[in-house]
Amino acid sequence: MSKVAVMVTSGYEESETMIIVDFLRRLQIEATTFSLTDNLYVTGMQKIICKCDVLFNETVDEYDMVFLPGGRPGGANLCADERVIKLIQRFNEQGKYVAAMCSGTTVLEQAGIINGRKVTGYHGYEDKLLSGIFVKEVVVADENLITSIGPATPFPMVYKMAEVLGVDPSDVKEKTLYNFAKGK
């Protein structure tokens, strides 16, 4: 079973985080929330408190993918955390998957891993993701990087994450009425 480490810090974007974890688990992909604070309980951007599975620790290196949600100040808090920067650099060097949404994409720039690679992010982030090739698409996959725009796009994001991990999301798309809604 594939494993995704979800980084959760103060000010995380709730919709991006919770929908990603929920649907990864529906897809039978192990999704573990790692608190980057000193507490399992982390308050999000909309003041929703998430109880994370574990505090950040070295087992994160055993995962196949790391996911960085956005949020305010979630994205900035991820960028300011040297453990996250080093983790992203390690995963990238090892060819492991790195996925990020919204302001979480700024961590990829901070870590120096998007040079010349296609990425997307929140509106206006073409000015923040300067070393990458900014593409105005909902989800962009370039080698081991997967990026998405923001709070309205976790469904196409999680399905792309599943696909790159070798999991067919067709059944879950059908059962959750994603197909009926035509991906909107």
Side-chain angles (χ1 to χ4, degrees):
M1 176 187 300
S2 295
K3 295 167 53 168
V4 177
V6 178
M7 301 295 106
V8 183
T9 192
S10 299
Y12 70 92
E13 169 53 58
E14 289 91 342
S15 66
E16 295 167 3
T17 307
M18 298 306 171
I19 291 170
I20 294 291
V21 171
D22 176 358
F23 275 71
L24 285 171
R25 291 178 181 178
R26 288 174 195 243
L27 289 157
Q28 304 302 305
I29 296 170
E30 184 178 328
T32 303
T33 51
F34 283 80
S35 170
L36 293 164
T37 71
D38 60 358
N39 194 314
L40 287 178
Y41 294 91
V42 182
T43 303
M45 189 171 146
Q46 305 304 324
K47 308 301 181 223
I48 297 172
I49 298 171
C50 168
K51 182 182 181 201
C52 292
D53 298 310
V54 296
L55 295 176
F56 185 83
N57 64 73
E58 66 280 346
T59 64
V60 72
D61 286 314
E62 299 168 8
Y63 285 71
D64 305 298
M65 179 185 287
V66 63
F67 173 68
L68 306 167
R72 286 180 310 238
N77 289 340
L78 290 171
C79 278
D81 193 324
E82 191 61 30
R83 299 171 300 173
V84 174
I85 301 301
K86 288 180 180 175
L87 173 68
I88 296 310
Q89 291 168 337
R90 264 192 327 272
F91 266 57
N92 187 61
E93 287 167 7
Q94 296 169 7
K96 290 184 175 185
Y97 292 106
V98 177
M101 293 185 75
C102 199
S103 64
T105 60
T106 60
V107 178
L108 309 180
E109 178 74 40
Q110 179 82 16
I113 68 165
I114 63 172
N115 189 27
R117 296 170 78 184
K118 292 180 184 174
V119 294
T120 196
Y122 196 73
H123 296 298
Y125 274 40
E126 53 270 5
D127 296 334
K128 295 180 185 266
L129 304 174
L130 295 173
S131 66
I133 300 166
F134 194 86
V135 180
K136 290 186 177 188
E137 293 181 18
V138 173
V139 178
V140 175
D142 188 338
E143 298 178 18
N144 65 318
L145 296 182
I146 306 156
T147 53
S148 188
I149 296 175
T153 64
F155 291 105
M157 176 66 162
V158 76
Y159 294 137
K160 178 54 77 178
M161 291 166 66
E163 288 169 2
V164 303
L165 289 170
V167 176
D168 180 1
S170 300
D171 190 48
V172 171
K173 283 182 175 182
E174 191 63 33
K175 287 180 180 175
T176 60
L177 303 177
Y178 182 80
N179 293 336
F180 175 77
K182 297 180 177 47
K184 295 182 181 184

